[in-house]
Amino acid sequence: MKTSKVLGMILASVVVATTAMAPSAAAEAGHKTAAAKTSVSQLKVVNQSVVIDGAQVSLKTVSVNRVVLYSLRDLARGLGASIKQSGAELTVTDSQGMHAVTLKAGSKGYQVDGVNAQFTVAPQSVQGSLYVEPTAVIDALGGEVLPGTSELRSTGRLSGQFSSPWFNAAGNVIVSQDDAETAQLFKLGSNGQSELFSDNGNLIGATLSPDLSTAAFTDENGALFLINTGNGIVKKLGSDTTVKTDLTWSADGKKIYFIQGDKQEKIAYISLDTAQVTEVLADKVENKAEVQVSPDEKKLVYFVNVTGKAETDKEGTEESLTIDYSKAGTQVYSLELGKKDAKPVQLTKELDNKLYLSLLSDGSAAYISADPDGATDGSVLKLISADGTKISNLVADVDVVSSRAVNGKLVILAEDANGSHLFEVAPTGAKTEMYSTKASVSEWALAKNGTIVLIEDGKVILVQSGKSTELTK
């Protein structure tokens, strides 16, 4: 719990919000200190502007041997902590009652939750107030000084590896912690404050409703569930337990479409008001995936993953078994809804790997094409015209990692020699950069107000009005 002089000097130039309880002047008075190399009478009290939890406040400081100490009373008020006195000792407790720091004037030794620690500079009593090393106290109370900044937080950020970010209707970020012993999803605020949202591992990869108020997911038995993204309340939808994958909501939020069956051979939807499952397509073609539905629900597009064809002799011996991969690959199909006897139409023929299918508002469909043989560098964003007669390269000058239609926009994550980029892509292929970083971005989500959340090297990054904030560490 030692505080470096450098951090102490950084804190002298910062910005803090005030809340909570603080001791009376008498609670800090009466402590005489022998300040090393500096007479207490020579210490000058200076008001500093500090930021805590995004709010600004002025608090008193003194400098001892170039280490800046903060008024414990002011610091506790800003952190929402309380202070109690017992003889010569003061005990500072965080607002949640989880951590306690016991210290006294003139003594470098202090305790954090009963464990001994040492200040670099002993707390100083000046003009009836006690002054302490801020970083040591903040860390001890479960808070944090953001590295490279002058911002303080009363609650430290979560630490670990995170994935699967999404926004709820209130604008909070929901993420999964990958390195936890058990599945855990956390709700993060814009300042990095966090709370456990759910420990249900089936929620990872849940599909959000258009208004972001509800997420749909299935359990290991195929049952479908809905969770309120605000309060975390879960309810079961219907009693059907057939295998359901690739859930996608209708634009009006009244239906959830999905791939159905043990071999992903069907397409169906469930109505939220009746919980009735309705079959849309059952052509016995297996390995369907990524079903997408148009806003007017007149058209579906989906992938079919074609696998190798096994061949053997009449006896079916193992030695004669061969697998023909000449036609293996992923193909895009479309289906007109509401048209009697409509048949699926194959829109592609190339044997490239195809990922991230999106059905756009004009009826065209976009997907990422990756060369299975590595003959070309990177992946290309391709566009299938609305009538299905033309396929063209929409973005080919960067390596396209993922793509998604969000809020009526086609957005891609791409990489080049300069790092990772998030672009909005126009129907002409023109790109508008939304975010750029030299770090490696693996996942992202976009809120309706334009706020972005990304996973950079396992950390959760929030981007608002061009400013990025690390929500985790």
Side-chain angles (χ1 to χ4, degrees):
M1 288 293 178
K2 289 188 177 181
T3 308
S4 71
K5 294 183 179 180
V6 173
L7 281 175
M9 294 174 72
I10 290 175
L11 286 170
S13 61
V14 288
V15 208
V16 171
T18 69
T19 46
M21 302 169 61
S24 65
E28 291 186 328
H31 299 286
K32 295 183 180 180
T33 182
K37 300 182 183 180
T38 304
S39 169
V40 171
S41 62
Q42 295 175 339
L43 296 179
K44 182 180 180 180
V45 177
V46 177
N47 288 326
Q48 295 286 350
S49 185
V50 182
V51 170
I52 296 179
D53 295 338
Q56 184 173 330
V57 71
S58 177
L59 47 74
K60 296 186 293 293
T61 70
V62 296
S63 180
V64 179
N65 298 330
R66 296 188 178 183
V67 176
V68 177
L69 307 183
Y70 281 21
S71 162
L72 180 61
R73 179 168 52 201
D74 291 351
L75 192 59
R77 185 183 297 117
L79 296 172
S82 61
I83 302 176
K84 289 185 179 180
Q85 184 174 6
S86 177
E89 292 184 335
L90 295 176
T91 298
V92 188
T93 305
D94 73 287
S95 61
Q96 303 299 316
M98 299 178 63
H99 303 287
V101 181
T102 301
L103 49 81
K104 60 183 178 180
S107 174
K108 288 186 177 181
Y110 66 103
Q111 287 191 331
V112 180
D113 300 332
V115 178
N116 292 331
Q118 289 277 319
F119 288 117
T120 302
V121 175
Q124 306 291 305
S125 181
V126 182
Q127 300 177 12
S129 293
L130 192 65
Y131 290 78
V132 297
E133 293 179 19
T135 307
V137 174
I138 291 167
D139 287 348
L141 295 176
E144 183 184 4
V145 180
L146 297 188
T149 74
S150 56
E151 184 176 349
L152 319 181
R153 290 186 179 173
S154 58
T155 302
R157 297 167 299 164
L158 288 174
S159 176
Q161 294 289 311
F162 299 88
S163 65
S164 306
W166 43 276
F167 288 99
N168 67 7
N172 299 118
V173 175
I174 311 294
V175 293
S176 167
Q177 184 169 5
D178 295 341
D179 53 357
E181 291 185 5
T182 58
Q184 290 184 319
L185 283 82
F186 288 92
K187 181 189 296 184
L188 307 179
S190 59
N191 287 322
Q193 64 270 35
S194 62
E195 62 179 271
L196 182 65
F197 179 69
S198 175
D199 57 4
N200 187 339
N202 292 318
L203 255 176
I204 299 173
T207 304
L208 283 165
S209 62
D211 65 1
L212 308 183
S213 67
T214 309
F217 65 97
T218 59
D219 66 6
E220 56 278 359
N221 298 315
L224 185 62
F225 295 85
L226 302 176
I227 184 170
N228 183 304
T229 61
N231 57 30
I233 294 176
V234 175
K235 68 176 183 179
K236 189 176 181 181
L237 181 61
S239 58
D240 184 88
T241 55
T242 57
V243 174
K244 303 173 188 67
T245 64
D246 303 82
L247 309 180
T248 187
W249 291 73
S250 62
D252 60 10
K254 295 181 178 180
K255 300 175 185 175
I256 300 173
Y257 287 78
F258 52 87
I259 305 297
Q260 185 182 33
D262 294 337
K263 297 180 180 180
Q264 292 79 52
E265 70 275 17
K266 301 176 183 179
I267 298 177
Y269 68 81
I270 186 169
S271 298
L272 267 67
D273 55 352
T274 65
Q276 179 179 345
V277 174
T278 301
E279 191 175 276
V280 173
L281 176 65
D283 59 358
K284 298 182 180 181
V285 176
E286 300 176 1
N287 302 315
K288 295 180 175 69
E290 294 196 34
V291 61
Q292 303 288 304
V293 59
S294 63
D296 59 9
E297 291 188 71
K298 292 183 178 180
K299 181 179 181 180
L300 287 178
V301 293
Y302 58 95
F303 284 145
V304 172
N305 296 307
V306 182
T307 59
K309 182 179 181 181
E311 297 179 350
T312 186
D313 58 17
K314 293 181 180 180
E315 288 74 26
T317 60
E318 183 177 347
E319 292 78 11
S320 66
L321 177 65
T322 60
I323 300 178
D324 180 12
Y325 292 101
S326 61
K327 295 183 179 179
T330 307
Q331 303 301 344
V332 180
Y333 283 76
S334 68
L335 176 69
E336 287 189 57
L337 297 177
K339 183 178 180 180
K340 188 177 180 180
D341 299 325
K343 302 294 184 182
V345 177
Q346 183 173 343
L347 302 179
T348 59
K349 295 181 180 179
E350 296 295 324
L351 302 181
D352 53 340
N353 292 325
K354 299 177 179 68
L355 306 164
Y356 293 99
L357 183 62
S358 296
L359 181 56
L360 308 182
S361 57
D362 64 356
S364 61
Y367 64 92
I368 296 176
S369 170
D371 182 1
D373 300 319
T376 59
D377 292 330
S379 299
V380 174
L381 184 68
K382 289 183 175 287
L383 186 71
I384 305 173
S385 61
D387 61 8
T389 61
K390 181 181 179 182
I391 301 176
S392 58
N393 288 346
L394 193 60
V395 177
D397 60 339
V398 290
D399 183 11
V400 183
V401 177
S402 63
S403 66
R404 197 176 309 143
V406 185
N407 305 329
K409 303 175 182 178
L410 182 59
V411 180
I412 66 170
L413 171 65
E415 294 179 347
D416 60 17
N418 297 316
S420 298
H421 310 266
L422 209 62
F423 294 109
E424 180 183 339
V425 181
T428 60
K431 304 189 303 296
T432 301
E433 188 172 84
M434 304 170 66
Y435 179 74
S436 177
T437 177
K438 292 184 178 180
S440 176
V441 175
S442 56
E443 298 176 272
W444 58 274
L446 181 66
K448 290 184 177 180
N449 65 359
T451 301
I452 303 167
V453 61
L454 311 105
I455 304 296
E456 288 186 8
D457 299 325
K459 294 186 293 186
V460 184
I461 309 296
L462 187 72
V463 183
Q464 294 177 299
S465 303
K467 179 183 177 182
S468 61
T469 302
E470 294 185 2
L471 298 187
T472 64
K473 58 183 178 180

